[in-house]
Amino acid sequence: FVNGKICKDPKVVKPEDFFFQGLNKPGSLSNPLGSNVTQVNVNQIPGLNTLGISLARIDFAPYGLNPPHTHPRATEILVVLEGTLLVGFVTSNPAMNMKNRLFTKVLNPGDVFVFPQGLIHFQFNNGKTNAVAIASLSSQNPGVITIANAVFGSDPPISPAVLTKAFQVDNNVIKYLQSQFWWDNNYP
């Protein structure tokens, strides 16, 4: 039992434990986010256990968004294959008298951008055609926390009193946000 996964007996390991098929096929973009993340991690390829790597294909419709999220166990490096993406990450918990800083860039095919481990980041297709990117992650099980889903879509919900104070907005804004259906664009 290593890294949260049971290691397979080497006597019963087979080639399929190191194989994933279909990353050449676009994911469905028929969700309100207009994006689809096809994960390839230890859950899809058991042979990745303990190797410290994984990847994902991210498909975007025009103006599709991979919403602000974080990977608690991995740094991500992204390469754009098709289209144009606006990408960025935000620093967190800066020193006193400093603000969180946004690092952002427009990426074209062949461009690469790094998102440091644990920092909130996003990718947005700011073009009129579909876009495709490949992300490599420094963990066989990087995890993903989509910020809006976690904060406003929890079950049971976080107390509106807590969120009203945290976000410094009217209670009706919080109730509205909590009443929305929060989409998940990450597919194993």
Side-chain angles (χ1 to χ4, degrees):
F1 192 73
V2 179
N3 295 325
K5 297 289 180 183
I6 294 174
C7 289
K8 205 168 186 181
D9 181 343
K11 295 176 193 149
V12 298
V13 170
K14 53 190 183 292
E16 288 73 26
D17 293 326
F18 300 89
F19 177 75
F20 179 88
Q21 188 173 25
L23 206 60
N24 61 320
K25 298 175 186 158
S28 172
L29 300 175
S30 62
N31 63 61
L33 294 171
S35 68
N36 184 300
V37 179
T38 304
Q39 299 177 36
V40 184
N41 58 43
V42 71
N43 296 316
Q44 290 75 40
I45 302 178
L48 284 175
N49 196 22
T50 75
L51 297 183
I53 59 169
S54 61
L55 61 87
R57 174 188 172 129
I58 312 168
D59 292 285
F60 299 86
Y63 309 107
L65 172 68
N66 191 12
H69 64 282
T70 183
H71 303 289
R73 296 180 293 275
T75 292
E76 175 181 341
I77 186 167
L78 180 107
V79 60
V80 175
L81 301 178
E82 298 174 18
T84 302
L85 296 176
L86 170 67
V87 303
F89 68 87
V90 179
T91 61
S92 67
N93 299 324
M96 190 178 282
N97 299 322
M98 293 179 66
K99 292 186 176 190
N100 291 323
R101 187 168 170 202
L102 172 64
F103 290 83
T104 187
K105 192 85 174 147
V106 173
L107 304 182
N108 296 297
D111 291 346
V112 175
F113 199 81
V114 174
F115 305 99
Q117 180 174 342
L119 295 184
I120 296 171
H121 59 282
F122 64 89
Q123 298 100 22
F124 175 68
N125 180 359
N126 58 350
K128 295 179 182 178
T129 62
N130 286 359
V132 179
I134 297 289
S136 295
L137 298 112
S138 64
S139 171
Q140 64 275 352
N141 191 14
V144 63
I145 301 168
T146 305
I147 306 307
N149 297 23
V151 173
F152 299 110
S154 69
D155 184 17
I158 298 171
S159 166
V162 170
L163 296 178
T164 298
K165 189 163 190 144
F167 287 96
Q168 300 176 23
V169 295
D170 184 81
N171 190 45
N172 290 327
V173 172
I174 298 300
K175 287 183 177 181
Y176 171 77
L177 290 169
Q178 288 181 321
S179 72
Q180 302 304 300
F181 181 82
W182 296 97
W183 286 90
D184 185 2
N185 65 338
N186 285 268
Y187 302 98

